[in-house]
Amino acid sequence: MMARHTWLKQTPDHWPNRHRTILDSELCSEELEHRSSVHVTVTQQRESLVDINPFSSRKTLLKVTACVFRFVNNVTNINKSMNLYFTADEVQNDEYFWIKYVQAEFYSAEISALRSNKQLRNSSEIKGLVPYLDEGCLLRITGRLLEAELCFGEKHPIILPRRCKFTELLATREHERIGHCGAFATLTQLRKKYWIPKGRQLVKTMIRICLICKKYNAEPADQLSGQLPRDRIS
């Protein structure tokens, strides 16, 4: 037994390294599978800040996002925010966070090309919009209204994908804010700040599933006329 541990008789400099890196070849297949599965789980938890799918309101989504960011700020920083109400800057930063999130998810190739000063692919659905990255790294339209007397957001609206939960929440919010008007009015309000490729189809879809609009636009039921009483026909 002592022949196997001859290093015990030597100085500590000659002792084996206890922190030696374990190679993958020294692990069995089950251990490798277990290690890879744990790695994937941790990566998914880091990517998902807030699950946007259960939300049906833009206002609620931004409030929950603000709570998460405030909690992270209070944990990591000394200057803690004890304000019970959310400021306008917090809400705006949360909205910009989701805009950047969905743009990175749907237009990652376009953003990488613009950062590298390369041309967009011909298959890109926003190539004809001549997009560019502003100071906040948001995708905006170059547009042809540079000389118009409009605000910056109307001249260069933010590009948002159509098949996106966050875009649906924005369309629903604008539709409710203007009193459940039609598709043209809702799309006009959206385009004051955002540009959605094929946005008219999205707005029509959101209006079609709006419960309040369903009630007001419902057609009256056709009732069958009953038989006249004997007193009226005699």
Side-chain angles (χ1 to χ4, degrees):
M1 180 66 68
M2 291 300 297
R4 298 181 182 180
H5 305 289
T6 55
W7 52 270
L8 291 174
K9 299 180 180 180
Q10 301 177 2
T11 60
D13 297 336
H14 296 82
W15 289 3
N17 186 10
R18 294 183 300 173
H19 303 286
R20 182 177 61 86
T21 304
I22 301 177
L23 303 177
D24 291 345
S25 58
E26 300 178 11
L27 299 175
C28 61
S29 59
E30 296 181 356
E31 292 176 339
L32 286 173
E33 292 176 358
H34 175 69
R35 190 174 66 175
S36 61
S37 63
V38 172
H39 175 72
V40 171
T41 303
V42 172
T43 303
Q44 291 177 354
Q45 290 179 355
R46 289 180 179 177
E47 290 180 355
S48 58
L49 176 66
V50 178
D51 187 8
I52 193 175
N53 294 318
F55 291 92
S56 59
S57 170
R58 166 189 169 273
K59 182 179 180 181
T60 307
L61 173 65
L62 296 183
K63 281 186 176 181
V64 173
T65 308
C67 288
V68 174
F69 279 126
R70 181 174 290 185
F71 172 77
V72 174
N73 178 73
N74 292 341
V75 171
T76 57
N77 297 333
I78 299 177
N79 298 326
K80 303 182 184 297
S81 176
M82 298 301 179
N83 190 6
L84 297 178
Y85 303 98
F86 298 109
T87 62
D89 293 337
E90 285 181 305
V91 176
Q92 186 176 13
N93 292 334
D94 298 334
E95 185 174 3
Y96 284 163
F97 165 79
W98 283 110
I99 292 174
K100 291 181 181 180
Y101 181 85
V102 298
Q103 286 185 347
E105 182 179 359
F106 288 88
Y107 301 130
S108 58
E110 287 80 358
I111 294 175
S112 300
L114 292 174
R115 287 177 175 174
S116 304
N117 294 326
K118 297 180 180 178
Q119 293 185 353
L120 302 185
R121 300 174 300 176
N122 294 330
S123 59
S124 175
E125 66 174 356
I126 62 174
K127 182 179 181 181
L129 302 177
V130 193
Y132 77 98
L133 291 175
D134 64 0
E135 298 178 355
C137 295
L138 295 177
L139 268 178
R140 292 183 180 270
I141 295 177
T142 301
R144 302 169 60 187
L145 303 175
L146 188 61
E147 301 299 331
E149 295 181 358
L150 300 173
C151 64
F152 180 79
E154 293 178 342
K155 292 180 182 179
H156 308 285
I158 299 172
I159 302 175
L160 288 177
R162 177 168 62 94
R163 295 182 177 88
C164 172
K165 179 67 175 180
F166 182 73
T167 310
E168 293 177 359
L169 295 179
L170 285 177
T172 303
R173 180 246 185 182
E174 291 298 329
H175 175 63
E176 295 175 351
R177 190 178 64 85
I178 61 176
H180 295 271
C181 292
F184 180 79
T186 304
L187 188 62
T188 301
Q189 294 299 321
L190 277 173
R191 286 181 175 175
K192 289 183 177 180
K193 191 175 181 180
Y194 309 101
W195 186 272
I196 306 169
K198 298 181 180 180
R200 190 179 301 274
Q201 299 179 10
L202 170 67
V203 172
K204 288 183 177 180
T205 302
M206 303 311 298
I207 294 177
R208 193 179 303 116
I209 63 177
C210 178
L211 295 179
I212 296 179
C213 293
K214 281 184 177 181
K215 293 179 180 179
Y216 280 103
N217 298 331
E219 297 181 356
D222 295 332
Q223 300 292 336
L224 295 177
S225 300
Q227 296 295 328
L228 292 174
R230 182 176 300 179
D231 297 338
R232 294 186 59 184
I233 60 177
S234 59

